[in-house]
Amino acid sequence: MDEADGGGSSPRVDREDRIARLRLMRTPTVGPVTYAQLLARFGTPAAALEAVPDLARRGGGKPPTVPPRGSIEREVEAVEKVGARYLFLGLPGYPAMLATIPTAPPALIVRGRRALLDRPVVGMVGARNASASAGRFARGMAAELGERGVTIASGLARGIDTAAHQGSMEAGTVAVIAGGIDVAYPPENAELQERIANEGLLIAEQPPGIEPRARHFPYRNRIIAGLSQAVLVVEAAPKSGSLITARYGGEYGREVLAVPGSPLDPRAQGCNLLIREGATLVQTVDDVMEALRPIDPRMLGEPGGGGYGVPRPAADAGDADRRAVTELLGPVPTPIDEIIRQSALPPAIVQTVLLELELAGRLERHAGGQVSLA
């Protein structure tokens, strides 16, 4: 936890900074967007923590309960006990591609070879109940991409995910899991998960000990898409988690690739639908390599910069501004751009009001930059 960040700070200062970051990100009502905005506005996690109660009151709610230092230190001990470490948003080591998405996790917990993320990454996902032919295709494709210097990232689920990890194990594979770094899921992949932690890279967003819940899987999917230059769907039903990952990839400006399948197989309908909607049809490894364009450095932004795709909140919003924004919100998710347009307020003022409402527990954020009243 106390590795140097290249800034010349003492180990104690580094540790205090990281403890403050963890306390802030584990505070109820502080989501990834709010976390990034708080750091952009107040400069340090300690200053942001001090500001949270007042901002929540301005939003019309009770201040959230900030986790005590002791609970965070116990989390840190649990992470270190299993041989894992943190990568913090805005500090060296955090994946540059992932830092560009609006909902970038404030911190990742990782075990294994961090350098695998410095190579081109392709997210490979697909059906849990995959056909034998699709599983064989995924293993072969993952192995060939690995031979060409590409890192495969997937979610360690049954079916296509497992095949993708198996095929790319020798070259280096990245598994993003939905629960804690010390929780094996699904149970039959416990041995594979441990092997990936030792030979590849294992990534978790949740604290140690957290069993995966349904709501955690979309969070995991957005990390896979965020890490990747391209998302490849091998086999998927029309309403599957794999298509959620592909949708995230499209929202983040990643290439979306799909393997076509028989129209008679329900497990191929999702891929065929993606191709009909504009995804690149993939039959060979050359199709994937052709889609991997060189990364424009401008895409990666400035590490530690303000907001990671979200406008910096202004220093203050007035009561009239709060009323104008709140009156435009309701239970139905609404694009933030539409709230800005209808309120005729500067984007930074709108973001400030949304920040206050979220800290007060009155706002929910949704995919695609949408918000609603809680």
Side-chain angles (χ1 to χ4, degrees), residues 1 4 38 124 127 139 149 156-157 177 182 194 209-210 231 233 243 253 258 270 303 316 343 359 362 371 374:
M1 173 122 165
L38 286 168
M124 187 180 295
R139 277 191 297 275
L156 203 64
I177 58 176
D182 56 344
E194 185 63 21
I210 297 296
V231 175
V233 185
L243 294 199
D316 254 321
S343 68
L359 289 173
R362 299 178 59 199
V371 292

Side-chain angles (χ1 to χ4, degrees), residues 320-342:
D321 301 327
R322 294 186 185 94
R323 284 194 299 273
V325 172
T326 305
E327 287 172 0
L328 292 172
L329 294 169
V332 178
T334 304
I336 294 175
D337 287 346
E338 183 63 18
I339 296 170
I340 293 171
R341 187 185 70 80
Q342 292 198 35

Side-chain angles (χ1 to χ4, degrees), residues 70-125:
S71 70
I72 296 301
E73 290 181 333
R74 287 190 291 274
E75 176 187 325
V76 172
E77 289 172 4
V79 168
E80 294 173 344
K81 185 176 180 180
V82 297
R85 62 194 186 279
Y86 292 93
L87 302 177
F88 288 95
L89 181 66
L91 297 183
Y94 193 91
M97 289 288 288
L98 184 60
T100 65
I101 74 172
T103 57
L108 301 172
I109 300 171
V110 302
R111 283 181 64 194
R113 299 162 56 194
R114 158 63 186 80
L116 289 174
L117 298 178
D118 293 331
R119 299 169 10 182
V121 177
V122 169
M124 187 180 295
V125 295

Side-chain angles (χ1 to χ4, degrees), residues 66-373:
V66 177
R69 181 187 179 95
S71 70
I72 296 301
E73 290 181 333
R74 287 190 291 274
E75 176 187 325
V76 172
E77 289 172 4
V79 168
E80 294 173 344
K81 185 176 180 180
V82 297
R85 62 194 186 279
Y86 292 93
L87 302 177
F88 288 95
L89 181 66
L91 297 183
Y94 193 91
M97 289 288 288
L98 184 60
T100 65
I101 74 172
T103 57
L108 301 172
I109 300 171
V110 302
R111 283 181 64 194
R113 299 162 56 194
R114 158 63 186 80
L116 289 174
L117 298 178
D118 293 331
R119 299 169 10 182
V121 177
V122 169
M124 187 180 295
V125 295
R128 286 177 168 81
N129 63 333
S131 64
S133 60
R136 182 177 62 182
F137 181 91
R139 277 191 297 275
M141 176 67 73
E144 287 188 65
L145 286 169
E147 291 170 0
R148 299 210 191 180
V150 173
T151 294
I152 298 298
S154 196
L156 203 64
R158 302 177 181 96
I160 295 301
D161 288 22
T162 295
H165 291 307
Q166 291 170 336
S168 58
M169 185 67 72
E170 185 174 341
T173 193
V174 174
V176 184
I177 58 176
I181 197 80
D182 56 344
V183 177
Y185 185 87
E188 62 265 33
N189 274 353
E191 185 177 338
L192 177 61
Q193 179 168 319
E194 185 63 21
R195 187 181 173 194
I196 291 172
N198 290 324
E199 301 177 28
L201 181 66
L202 185 66
I203 298 177
E205 181 180 13
Q206 302 303 320
I210 297 296
E211 295 284 342
R213 297 287 183 262
R215 69 180 185 277
H216 295 148
F217 290 96
Y219 300 161
R220 177 205 62 183
N221 294 343
R222 94 245 234 187
I223 294 175
I224 295 171
L227 290 171
S228 305
Q229 284 182 244
V231 175
L232 171 60
V233 185
V234 176
E235 194 174 66
K239 294 183 179 180
S240 64
S242 302
L243 294 199
I244 292 175
T245 308
R247 188 193 73 213
Y248 282 136
E251 289 178 0
Y252 303 154
R254 288 15 175 190
E255 294 292 328
V256 178
L257 319 173
V259 177
S262 168
L264 301 178
D265 188 344
R267 292 169 295 194
Q269 290 179 4
C271 288
N272 293 342
L273 176 65
L274 287 173
I275 293 169
R276 190 176 73 183
E277 293 176 345
T280 299
L281 187 151
V282 166
Q283 298 181 95
T284 69
V285 69
D286 290 332
D287 296 330
V288 179
M289 297 305 296
E290 192 176 309
L292 293 180
R293 303 187 304 265
I295 300 175
D296 186 338
R298 291 172 297 181
M299 278 185 62
L300 301 182
E302 179 184 348
Y308 297 91
V310 181
R312 290 175 183 263
D316 254 321
D319 290 340
D321 301 327
R322 294 186 185 94
R323 284 194 299 273
V325 172
T326 305
E327 287 172 0
L328 292 172
L329 294 169
V332 178
T334 304
I336 294 175
D337 287 346
E338 183 63 18
I339 296 170
I340 293 171
R341 187 185 70 80
Q342 292 198 35
S343 68
L345 292 170
I349 291 289
V350 172
Q351 293 289 351
T352 294
V353 176
L354 298 179
L355 171 70
E356 294 170 352
L357 290 171
E358 185 173 14
L359 289 173
R362 299 178 59 199
L363 185 85
E364 291 184 9
R365 294 186 186 268
H366 306 270
Q370 300 188 93
V371 292
S372 68
L373 287 179

